[in-house]
Amino acid sequence: MSDSEKLLDTIPRALYFDNEDRFFILDQTKLPTDEMIEEQKDVEQVYDSIYQLKVRGAPAIGIAGAYGLVISLKNSLDLEIESFLELVYKNAQYLNSSRPTAVNLSWALNRLSKIAQDFPKDKTAKELYDVLKHEAILIHKSDIETCRLIGEHGAKLIREGDGVLTLCNAGALATGGIGTALAPMYVAWSKGKRFSAYSSETRPLLQGARITCWELNKFGVDTTVIADSVSSYLMKLGRVDMIVVGADRVANNGDTANKIGTSSLAINAKFYGVPFYIACPYSTIDTNSKSGTDIVVEERGKDELIYIKGQQIAPKNIKVCNPAFDVTDNSLISGFITEKGVIRPPYNFSK
Ligand code: MRU
């Protein structure tokens, strides 16, 4: 292992599965003040952890869905194979309904369900369980490698002295590895390149301020938090050379669903001539969605706007509009940083 690889190994992890088949997550709702690891004991708990954003970020919820399905099965190994299969489908469907926009969740759960469907019916529940567990671990391991590759490809786009802006958290805590949008920053930094990271705070749940700043800071990247409304002014001042964010679902034509606010960042970036990149694995590309209009955007509860950490900040009876994501038009995207390299327009991922 090279020194920079060893350094990358120090980045915190969102989740892990141990060799006693126990599944743990870092509760991200408590960051940055508390670093609480929580064991996930049943399918309802995993559903709630995904819904409440204790575990979040498209690749991470895909992996959490896969491990969540595995732990939901481990006390039912004495079932007949048909009943066990019913349980696999039921729990996969239930977990899949926890959040609708990130395609990685259904991608991972469909992958396990397909294995179950094709599994020989003369084998036992335990044998199927072992295969599903192996596949969940594989999904996790391959995400680690995917993030590393995204980091290597993306790091080449960062120049010494650049200002690199990101929104929300598409870092280690949103994946199984070193992140997607933050991976290029980690790789560039670990190789000695020095630049300034700007983390947009990301109202309403503040993933940028709470989580991105926390992990970039832990790694020692020079990081500045900004209110979301500051980004276009920074671009006007010439302090942003590149924007890189993650994705929850990319349609076949490159239209991209990501955290609310991404689209306005991209529009401003176009105005000021700042390159705007999406960093994501191929598992986030949904060729079944022809364009952004096919993507379901999650609408979240009103309390996320009316309260901050239990403190009321708006009238309780006010109407609330709280979409968790928006869709950025493909024409605003300079490139997709993927594990296969940087994909440039025109985009047609099914080709
Ligand atoms: O609501 P969240 O925090 O799950 O939203 C996360 C994002 O929008 C990320 O940018 C996206 O999932 C990519 S994570 C590598």
Side-chain angles (χ1 to χ4, degrees):
M1 221 191 239
S2 69
D3 282 352
S4 70
E5 277 167 345
K6 274 191 212 139
L7 197 58
L8 291 174
D9 222 35
T10 65
I11 292 174
R13 296 285 176 250
L15 41 73
Y16 62 95
F17 187 79
D18 74 4
N19 48 21
E20 287 169 36
D21 293 10
R22 292 178 305 178
F23 172 38
F24 299 86
I25 61 164
L26 174 63
D27 179 352
Q28 297 185 36
T29 62
K30 302 276 190 299
L31 291 175
T33 46
D34 297 305
E35 295 178 27
M36 258 181 58
I37 304 286
E38 188 182 89
E39 186 178 353
Q40 304 296 292
K41 295 204 167 140
D42 55 47
V43 72
E44 287 80 16
Q45 189 183 1
V46 177
Y47 177 102
D48 287 343
S49 294
I50 295 174
Y51 180 72
Q52 292 169 18
L53 275 59
K54 287 184 174 185
V55 59
R56 43 144 302 282
I61 66 174
I63 300 163
Y67 283 143
L69 182 61
V70 170
I71 59 131
S72 78
L73 302 169
K74 76 176 175 190
N75 295 326
S76 305
L77 303 184
D78 49 358
L79 287 178
E80 293 298 323
I81 189 82
E82 283 79 13
S83 315
F84 189 73
L85 268 176
E86 289 304 312
L87 189 65
V88 173
Y89 300 145
K90 186 175 109 198
N91 289 354
Q93 216 171 22
Y94 172 62
L95 287 168
N96 193 27
S97 65
S98 54
R99 292 193 79 189
T101 305
V103 70
N104 305 60
L105 182 60
S106 56
W107 171 83
L109 289 166
N110 288 344
R111 194 161 139 175
L112 296 192
S113 300
K114 177 83 174 65
I115 287 175
Q117 196 184 355
D118 297 343
F119 198 69
K121 303 296 172 284
D122 56 349
K123 300 221 172 186
T124 63
K126 169 77 171 82
E127 285 169 308
L128 175 54
Y129 173 81
D130 285 338
V131 173
L132 294 176
K133 177 174 85 177
H134 180 258
E135 192 66 14
I137 294 170
L138 206 68
I139 289 172
H140 188 180
K141 281 196 173 147
S142 81
D143 191 57
I144 295 173
E145 177 60 4
T146 297
C147 290
R148 190 188 71 75
L149 290 167
I150 290 173
E152 291 292 335
H153 295 302
K156 297 185 189 126
L157 300 168
I158 301 177
R159 296 161 311 175
E160 184 74 25
D162 270 356
V164 185
L165 191 147
T166 191
L167 172 75
C168 193
N169 174 267
L173 293 195
T175 66
I178 61 167
T180 60
L182 299 194
M185 299 197 212
Y186 288 132
V187 171
W189 194 271
S190 73
K191 289 184 174 165
K193 243 184 233 179
R194 292 297 170 254
F195 55 89
S196 302
Y198 292 101
S199 175
S200 192
E201 64 173 350
T202 321
R203 279 285 289 145
L205 296 181
L206 302 169
Q207 292 92 328
R210 295 187 303 104
I211 306 171
T212 295
C213 289
W214 179 78
E215 57 165 282
L216 285 173
N217 220 22
K218 254 188 185 299
F219 196 68
V221 175
D222 171 33
T223 306
T224 303
V225 66
I226 56 167
D228 295 323
S229 45
V230 171
S231 56
S232 81
Y233 183 55
L234 276 192
M235 288 185 232
K236 186 181 174 68
L237 294 178
R239 286 170 62 182
V240 181
D241 300 285
M242 167 185 177
I243 297 176
V244 56
V245 297
D248 284 84
R249 191 183 294 246
V250 178
N252 191 54
N253 70 347
D255 290 350
T256 296
N258 189 52
K259 181 51 58 191
I260 191 74
T262 301
S263 172
S264 35
L265 259 187
I267 292 166
N268 285 324
K270 185 86 164 181
F271 184 80
Y272 288 112
V274 175
F276 181 89
Y277 290 98
I278 299 287
C280 69
Y282 261 76
S283 56
T284 304
I285 298 169
D286 174 21
T287 51
N288 292 324
S289 295
K290 283 203 188 80
S291 75
T293 50
D294 295 333
I295 300 176
V296 176
V297 169
E298 176 185 7
E299 180 77 30
R300 294 186 63 86
K302 56 188 283 186
D303 285 358
E304 290 182 356
L305 268 290
I306 295 178
Y307 298 89
I308 294 184
K309 293 225 171 241
Q311 173 75 44
Q312 189 187 335
I313 55 149
K316 282 185 188 163
N317 61 352
I318 202 75
K319 288 196 283 180
V320 169
C321 171
N322 186 18
F325 303 100
D326 60 24
V327 179
T328 299
D329 197 85
N330 61 52
S331 63
L332 302 170
I333 299 169
S334 312
F336 287 84
I337 308 168
T338 74
E339 65 271 38
K340 298 184 188 169
V342 180
I343 316 291
R344 301 280 178 181
Y347 307 115
N348 180 355
F349 289 105
S350 58
K351 265 218 288 203

mmCIF file of all heavy atoms in Angstrom, residues 53 56-59 99 167-171 174-175 180 207 246-248 258-259 324-325, ligand 1:
data_model
loop_
_atom_site.group_PDB
_atom_site.id
_atom_site.type_symbol
_atom_site.label_atom_id
_atom_site.label_comp_id
_atom_site.label_asym_id
_atom_site.label_seq_id
_atom_site.Cartn_x
_atom_site.Cartn_y
_atom_site.Cartn_z
ATOM 1 N N LEU A 53 -32.561 9.255 7.431
ATOM 2 C CA LEU A 53 -31.242 9.718 6.981
ATOM 3 C C LEU A 53 -30.128 9.467 8.007
ATOM 4 O O LEU A 53 -29.124 10.175 8.046
ATOM 5 C CB LEU A 53 -31.267 11.208 6.585
ATOM 6 C CG LEU A 53 -31.709 11.550 5.163
ATOM 7 C CD1 LEU A 53 -33.108 11.061 4.834
ATOM 8 C CD2 LEU A 53 -31.595 13.024 4.894
ATOM 9 N N ARG A 56 -27.409 7.526 4.656
ATOM 10 C CA ARG A 56 -27.941 8.312 3.532
ATOM 11 C C ARG A 56 -26.880 8.409 2.444
ATOM 12 O O ARG A 56 -25.740 8.034 2.644
ATOM 13 C CB ARG A 56 -28.382 9.690 4.022
ATOM 14 C CG ARG A 56 -27.373 10.307 4.983
ATOM 15 C CD ARG A 56 -27.232 11.758 4.868
ATOM 16 N NE ARG A 56 -26.848 12.148 3.531
ATOM 17 C CZ ARG A 56 -25.616 12.061 3.046
ATOM 18 N NH1 ARG A 56 -24.615 11.581 3.762
ATOM 19 N NH2 ARG A 56 -25.367 12.445 1.812
ATOM 20 N N GLY A 57 -27.304 8.979 1.283
ATOM 21 C CA GLY A 57 -26.406 9.011 0.129
ATOM 22 C C GLY A 57 -26.693 7.785 -0.715
ATOM 23 O O GLY A 57 -26.840 6.671 -0.181
ATOM 24 N N ALA A 58 -26.781 7.997 -2.033
ATOM 25 C CA ALA A 58 -27.284 6.926 -2.905
ATOM 26 C C ALA A 58 -26.539 5.587 -2.776
ATOM 27 O O ALA A 58 -27.168 4.546 -2.506
ATOM 28 C CB ALA A 58 -27.300 7.427 -4.351
ATOM 29 N N PRO A 59 -25.203 5.556 -2.949
ATOM 30 C CA PRO A 59 -24.538 4.249 -2.849
ATOM 31 C C PRO A 59 -24.679 3.634 -1.452
ATOM 32 O O PRO A 59 -24.894 2.419 -1.316
ATOM 33 C CB PRO A 59 -23.073 4.551 -3.176
ATOM 34 C CG PRO A 59 -23.130 5.819 -3.989
ATOM 35 C CD PRO A 59 -24.257 6.607 -3.388
ATOM 36 N N ARG A 99 -37.087 5.130 0.526
ATOM 37 C CA ARG A 99 -36.789 6.402 -0.164
ATOM 38 C C ARG A 99 -36.867 6.148 -1.673
ATOM 39 O O ARG A 99 -36.268 5.178 -2.163
ATOM 40 C CB ARG A 99 -35.395 6.941 0.206
ATOM 41 C CG ARG A 99 -35.297 7.393 1.661
ATOM 42 C CD ARG A 99 -34.040 8.206 1.921
ATOM 43 N NE ARG A 99 -34.170 9.579 1.479
ATOM 44 C CZ ARG A 99 -33.147 10.441 1.446
ATOM 45 N NH1 ARG A 99 -31.939 10.060 1.818
ATOM 46 N NH2 ARG A 99 -33.336 11.678 1.050
ATOM 47 N N LEU A 167 -21.919 20.403 -2.852
ATOM 48 C CA LEU A 167 -23.193 20.581 -2.141
ATOM 49 C C LEU A 167 -23.581 19.245 -1.517
ATOM 50 O O LEU A 167 -23.262 18.185 -2.067
ATOM 51 C CB LEU A 167 -24.275 20.996 -3.148
ATOM 52 C CG LEU A 167 -25.724 21.058 -2.653
ATOM 53 C CD1 LEU A 167 -25.938 22.299 -1.792
ATOM 54 C CD2 LEU A 167 -26.698 21.106 -3.824
ATOM 55 N N CYS A 168 -24.277 19.293 -0.406
ATOM 56 C CA CYS A 168 -24.736 18.096 0.286
ATOM 57 C C CYS A 168 -23.538 17.257 0.705
ATOM 58 O O CYS A 168 -22.454 17.779 0.941
ATOM 59 C CB CYS A 168 -25.718 17.303 -0.583
ATOM 60 S SG CYS A 168 -26.616 16.030 0.343
ATOM 61 N N ASN A 169 -23.719 15.961 0.826
ATOM 62 C CA ASN A 169 -22.584 15.095 1.130
ATOM 63 C C ASN A 169 -22.580 13.924 0.179
ATOM 64 O O ASN A 169 -23.491 13.089 0.191
ATOM 65 C CB ASN A 169 -22.625 14.581 2.573
ATOM 66 C CG ASN A 169 -21.504 13.568 2.803
ATOM 67 O OD1 ASN A 169 -21.710 12.363 2.655
ATOM 68 N ND2 ASN A 169 -20.317 14.039 3.099
ATOM 69 N N ALA A 170 -21.564 13.921 -0.681
ATOM 70 C CA ALA A 170 -21.323 12.773 -1.560
ATOM 71 C C ALA A 170 -19.916 12.279 -1.248
ATOM 72 O O ALA A 170 -19.085 12.068 -2.125
ATOM 73 C CB ALA A 170 -21.482 13.177 -3.024
ATOM 74 N N GLY A 171 -19.687 12.133 0.049
ATOM 75 C CA GLY A 171 -18.368 11.715 0.524
ATOM 76 C C GLY A 171 -18.385 10.283 1.003
ATOM 77 O O GLY A 171 -19.264 9.493 0.642
ATOM 78 N N ALA A 174 -21.515 8.838 2.318
ATOM 79 C CA ALA A 174 -22.627 8.580 1.396
ATOM 80 C C ALA A 174 -22.385 7.318 0.569
ATOM 81 O O ALA A 174 -23.183 7.006 -0.322
ATOM 82 C CB ALA A 174 -22.800 9.783 0.464
ATOM 83 N N THR A 175 -21.289 6.627 0.861
ATOM 84 C CA THR A 175 -20.909 5.455 0.045
ATOM 85 C C THR A 175 -20.309 4.374 0.946
ATOM 86 O O THR A 175 -20.244 4.536 2.155
ATOM 87 C CB THR A 175 -19.820 5.846 -0.988
ATOM 88 O OG1 THR A 175 -18.626 6.197 -0.266
ATOM 89 C CG2 THR A 175 -20.233 7.018 -1.860
ATOM 90 N N THR A 180 -18.027 9.878 -3.733
ATOM 91 C CA THR A 180 -18.025 10.114 -5.186
ATOM 92 C C THR A 180 -17.513 11.540 -5.430
ATOM 93 O O THR A 180 -16.389 11.721 -5.854
ATOM 94 C CB THR A 180 -19.423 9.894 -5.793
ATOM 95 O OG1 THR A 180 -20.359 10.795 -5.194
ATOM 96 C CG2 THR A 180 -19.883 8.462 -5.622
ATOM 97 N N GLN A 207 -26.594 18.628 5.369
ATOM 98 C CA GLN A 207 -25.574 17.594 5.140
ATOM 99 C C GLN A 207 -24.205 18.200 4.804
ATOM 100 O O GLN A 207 -23.167 17.628 5.121
ATOM 101 C CB GLN A 207 -25.995 16.658 3.993
ATOM 102 C CG GLN A 207 -27.180 15.765 4.290
ATOM 103 C CD GLN A 207 -28.490 16.391 3.884
ATOM 104 O OE1 GLN A 207 -28.668 17.608 3.934
ATOM 105 N NE2 GLN A 207 -29.457 15.568 3.495
ATOM 106 N N GLY A 246 -22.619 14.892 -6.205
ATOM 107 C CA GLY A 246 -22.993 13.506 -6.475
ATOM 108 C C GLY A 246 -24.296 13.421 -7.255
ATOM 109 O O GLY A 246 -24.746 14.404 -7.851
ATOM 110 N N ALA A 247 -24.890 12.237 -7.257
ATOM 111 C CA ALA A 247 -26.164 12.037 -7.956
ATOM 112 C C ALA A 247 -26.952 10.945 -7.261
ATOM 113 O O ALA A 247 -26.382 10.008 -6.691
ATOM 114 C CB ALA A 247 -25.930 11.628 -9.400
ATOM 115 N N ASP A 248 -28.260 11.089 -7.305
ATOM 116 C CA ASP A 248 -29.149 10.047 -6.776
ATOM 117 C C ASP A 248 -29.696 9.170 -7.890
ATOM 118 O O ASP A 248 -29.975 7.982 -7.688
ATOM 119 C CB ASP A 248 -30.283 10.662 -5.969
ATOM 120 C CG ASP A 248 -29.746 11.106 -4.631
ATOM 121 O OD1 ASP A 248 -29.203 12.219 -4.552
ATOM 122 O OD2 ASP A 248 -29.788 10.303 -3.684
ATOM 123 N N ASN A 258 -30.299 15.141 -7.961
ATOM 124 C CA ASN A 258 -29.392 15.218 -6.815
ATOM 125 C C ASN A 258 -30.014 16.179 -5.804
ATOM 126 O O ASN A 258 -31.087 16.748 -6.052
ATOM 127 C CB ASN A 258 -28.000 15.676 -7.256
ATOM 128 C CG ASN A 258 -26.981 15.552 -6.122
ATOM 129 O OD1 ASN A 258 -26.857 14.484 -5.501
ATOM 130 N ND2 ASN A 258 -26.254 16.616 -5.826
ATOM 131 N N LYS A 259 -29.346 16.353 -4.692
ATOM 132 C CA LYS A 259 -29.870 17.179 -3.588
ATOM 133 C C LYS A 259 -30.439 18.511 -4.078
ATOM 134 O O LYS A 259 -29.872 19.151 -4.964
ATOM 135 C CB LYS A 259 -28.729 17.404 -2.589
ATOM 136 C CG LYS A 259 -29.063 18.202 -1.366
ATOM 137 C CD LYS A 259 -30.297 17.709 -0.635
ATOM 138 C CE LYS A 259 -30.193 16.262 -0.197
ATOM 139 N NZ LYS A 259 -31.512 15.725 0.279
ATOM 140 N N ALA A 324 -36.768 16.859 -1.627
ATOM 141 C CA ALA A 324 -35.405 16.540 -1.175
ATOM 142 C C ALA A 324 -34.388 16.659 -2.307
ATOM 143 O O ALA A 324 -33.186 16.794 -2.047
ATOM 144 C CB ALA A 324 -35.370 15.129 -0.596
ATOM 145 N N PHE A 325 -34.869 16.602 -3.540
ATOM 146 C CA PHE A 325 -33.953 16.592 -4.691
ATOM 147 C C PHE A 325 -34.487 17.513 -5.776
ATOM 148 O O PHE A 325 -35.659 17.924 -5.747
ATOM 149 C CB PHE A 325 -33.827 15.163 -5.252
ATOM 150 C CG PHE A 325 -33.369 14.184 -4.205
ATOM 151 C CD1 PHE A 325 -34.282 13.348 -3.561
ATOM 152 C CD2 PHE A 325 -32.042 14.105 -3.830
ATOM 153 C CE1 PHE A 325 -33.873 12.471 -2.562
ATOM 154 C CE2 PHE A 325 -31.619 13.230 -2.834
ATOM 155 C CZ PHE A 325 -32.539 12.416 -2.204
HETATM 156 O O1 MRU B 1 -30.934 13.184 1.175
HETATM 157 P P1 MRU B 1 -29.542 12.654 1.075
HETATM 158 O O2 MRU B 1 -28.630 13.200 2.110
HETATM 159 O O3 MRU B 1 -29.518 11.145 1.015
HETATM 160 O O4 MRU B 1 -29.027 13.191 -0.335
HETATM 161 C C1 MRU B 1 -27.776 12.763 -0.794
HETATM 162 C C2 MRU B 1 -27.378 13.363 -2.096
HETATM 163 O O5 MRU B 1 -28.100 14.103 -2.712
HETATM 164 C C3 MRU B 1 -26.046 12.918 -2.625
HETATM 165 O O6 MRU B 1 -25.456 13.928 -3.396
HETATM 166 C C4 MRU B 1 -26.255 11.686 -3.532
HETATM 167 O O7 MRU B 1 -26.996 10.712 -2.884
HETATM 168 C C5 MRU B 1 -24.960 11.114 -3.974
HETATM 169 S S1 MRU B 1 -24.082 10.321 -2.682
HETATM 170 C C6 MRU B 1 -22.645 9.716 -3.318
#
